[in-house]
């Protein structure tokens, strides 16, 4: 055991050296840099639409690139594509496995994907020849549940899993292109950078990792959370990362400074963060919590500037449309709500 202990000590001392190096280059804090900027004021959003149709807990939602259509996945075994303006259901897709945990809309609007406790990522083609939506591909190789998936294009998708890995798939052939291994706990969520060259993953080892898709390696690791990271996202300009954790906090990490910039927390919030999404400018951070609410944070001042209350159960997913005009929340109460 002596050798293991020595290696562990060495790893710890290296970590301390990294922390010290980060400290030496930290010439200012975000609070100081943003001191002269005026506060946002109260942000009050109203429920504009309620999307009704799921019969069980909603676990995931994702906006299409057109900011009108969105897809949601529920444990009633349905994947529904909604028109968020008319509230009509464009597609209702019955799933082989009702234990779904994630869904994704391809940037092209042609495909949707989902997966969960079946350890598979199922891809559906919405633009089939006869108008019927069929399973186009089933991507199976993960040895744990599928926690999140995000398309890069109509031919590539990245998945994260409870087997501690993330995988880049070739959809055409149904094969794994790259396996991203390095997390020591279940990978819970992932987000792709605005330029599609990187993605970030959050896991139950309390860390977030930045991966280079082209080089197939981990570029940066961010620690600081005291519990599982459930939700993760890129700051809109791609230079920073936001994480949400079971420790009841959200954190902002800067990729160029390679360190934590800010923590969003309040002594009155005792429950974990389930989901998050930044506004298009990045000034606001919307985060869903276990207490059925969504809190809105000012990212620069780290103050809570609003609350979205309206769901009767845990808010499980949240998304801001790419035009920034609306945000959608999905909940275990089986409803999706569109706010602005």
């Amino acid at each position: 055991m002596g050798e293991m202990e020595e290696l562990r000590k060495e790893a710890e001392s290296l970590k301390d050296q990294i922390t010290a190096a980060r400290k030496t280059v930290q010439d200012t804090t975000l609070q100081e840099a943003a001191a002269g900027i005026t506060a946002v004021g109260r942000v009050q959003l109203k429920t504009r639409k309620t999307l009704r149709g799921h019969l069980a807990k909603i676990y995931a939602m994702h906006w299409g690139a057109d900011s009108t259509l969105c897809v949601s996945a529920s444990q009633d075994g349905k994947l529904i594509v909604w028109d968020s303006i008319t509230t009509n259901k464009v597609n209702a897709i019955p799933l082989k496995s009702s234990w779904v945990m994630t869904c994704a809309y391809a940037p092209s609007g042609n495909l949707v994907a989902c997966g969960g406790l079946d350890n598979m990522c199922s891809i559906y083609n919405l633009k089939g020849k006869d108008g019927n939506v069929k399973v186009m591909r089933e991507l199976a190789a993960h040895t744990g549940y599928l926690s999140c998936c995000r398309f890069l294009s109509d031919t590539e998708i990245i998945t994260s899993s409870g087997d501690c890995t993330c995988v880049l798939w070739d959809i055409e052939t149904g094969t794994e292109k790259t396996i991203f291994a390095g997390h020591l706990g279940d990978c819970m969520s992932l987000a792709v950078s605005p330029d599609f060259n990187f993605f970030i993953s959050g896991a139950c080892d309390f860390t977030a990792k930045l991966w280079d898709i082209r080089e197939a390696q981990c570029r940066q690791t961010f620690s600081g959370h005291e519990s599982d990271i459930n939700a993760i996202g890129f700051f809109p300009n791609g230079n920073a990362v936001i994480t949400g954790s079971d420790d009841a906090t959200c954190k902002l990490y800067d990729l160029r400074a390679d360190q934590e910039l800010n923590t969003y927390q309040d002594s009155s919030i005792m429950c974990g963060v389930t989901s998050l999404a930044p506004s298009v400018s990045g000034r606001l951070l919307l985060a869903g919590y276990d207490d059925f609410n969504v809190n809105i944070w000012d990212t620069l001042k780290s103050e809570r500037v609003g609350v979205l209350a309206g769901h009767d159960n845990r808010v499980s997913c949240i998304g801001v449309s790419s035009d920034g005009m609306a945000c959608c929340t999905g909940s275990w109460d089986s409803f999706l709500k569109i706010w602005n």
Side-chain angles (χ1 to χ4, degrees):
M1 195 56 202
E3 194 181 354
M4 276 305 284
E5 279 304 313
E6 278 172 34
L7 289 170
R8 197 168 282 129
K9 277 202 184 109
E10 189 184 345
E12 285 306 319
S13 79
L14 287 169
K15 277 181 195 163
D16 293 341
Q17 284 172 36
I18 291 170
T19 309
R22 282 173 176 167
K23 279 241 157 53
T24 54
V25 296
Q26 187 180 16
D27 53 357
T28 182
T29 65
L30 187 59
Q31 269 81 359
E32 288 165 16
I37 292 169
T38 46
V40 171
R42 292 291 296 167
V43 178
Q44 289 178 311
L45 304 185
K46 286 198 175 77
T47 305
R48 304 296 177 186
K49 297 278 191 283
T50 300
L51 307 180
R52 305 166 194 276
H54 280 302
L55 305 172
K57 293 176 180 177
I58 293 171
Y59 269 77
M61 71 77 50
H62 194 214
W63 282 96
D66 64 354
S67 298
T68 304
L69 301 177
C70 64
V71 64
S72 62
S74 160
Q75 298 207 339
D76 61 8
K78 291 276 191 295
L79 201 60
I80 298 182
V81 178
W82 306 84
D83 182 320
S84 64
I85 294 169
T86 64
T87 71
N88 290 343
K89 299 170 191 63
V90 183
N91 300 99
I93 305 163
L95 305 175
K96 285 184 187 174
S97 159
S98 62
W99 304 107
V100 32
M101 296 171 69
T102 180
C103 62
Y105 218 125
S108 64
N110 297 330
L111 310 174
V112 290
C114 69
L117 296 183
D118 58 357
N119 301 5
M120 272 194 319
C121 180
S122 306
I123 314 268
Y124 294 86
N125 185 3
L126 300 176
K127 305 274 165 54
K129 295 215 167 42
D130 51 0
N132 288 349
V133 178
K134 291 202 267 300
V135 179
M136 182 176 131
R137 257 312 157 267
E138 288 180 337
L139 308 175
H142 280 299
T143 54
Y145 60 86
L146 201 80
S147 57
C148 192
C149 60
R150 286 294 176 257
F151 284 94
L152 296 180
S153 65
D154 280 357
T155 55
E156 289 184 317
I157 191 168
I158 295 177
T159 56
S160 64
S161 166
D163 63 13
C164 308
T165 68
C166 299
V167 172
L168 170 66
W169 300 84
D170 183 322
I171 295 173
E172 313 260 290
T173 60
T175 53
E176 301 163 285
K177 277 187 168 177
T178 316
I179 297 173
F180 301 91
H183 276 299
L184 303 173
D186 301 12
C187 288
M188 294 309 291
S189 63
L190 73 95
V192 179
S193 64
D195 63 4
F196 290 102
N197 289 327
F198 296 89
F199 77 94
I200 186 98
S201 59
C204 291
D205 58 8
F206 312 171
T207 68
K209 286 183 181 285
L210 178 77
W211 306 87
D212 188 318
I213 296 170
R214 299 159 299 180
E215 303 277 324
Q217 57 188 344
C218 178
R219 285 263 171 253
Q220 280 163 284
T221 301
F222 297 105
S223 52
H225 277 297
E226 289 160 17
S227 189
D228 306 354
I229 295 177
N230 296 324
I232 202 157
F234 268 93
F235 198 72
N237 66 5
N239 289 328
V241 186
I242 356 170
T243 55
S245 162
D246 272 341
D247 64 13
T249 69
C250 298
K251 287 184 185 288
L252 176 70
Y253 297 96
D254 190 276
L255 299 182
R256 296 171 298 182
D258 191 38
Q259 56 194 304
E260 182 184 318
L261 291 186
N262 223 340
T263 300
Y264 308 99
Q265 63 189 6
D266 192 283
S267 54
S268 65
I269 302 173
M270 304 298 287
C271 57
V273 181
T274 58
S275 47
L276 54 75
S279 64
V280 165
S281 66
R283 182 66 196 267
L284 300 177
L285 169 61
L286 296 92
Y289 291 77
D290 285 338
D291 66 358
F292 317 170
N293 288 333
V294 174
N295 288 308
I296 306 175
W297 299 92
D298 179 336
T299 51
L300 296 179
K301 304 278 188 184
S302 51
E303 289 163 5
R304 184 158 48 153
V305 292
V307 179
L308 306 184
H311 284 295
D312 302 326
N313 206 327
R314 173 190 290 199
V315 175
S316 56
C317 51
I318 185 163
V320 171
S321 59
S322 54
D323 63 3
M325 295 305 286
C327 106
C328 178
T329 55
S331 163
W332 283 12
D333 65 10
S334 84
F335 301 125
L336 293 147
K337 288 182 184 289
I338 310 281
W339 311 72
N340 65 11

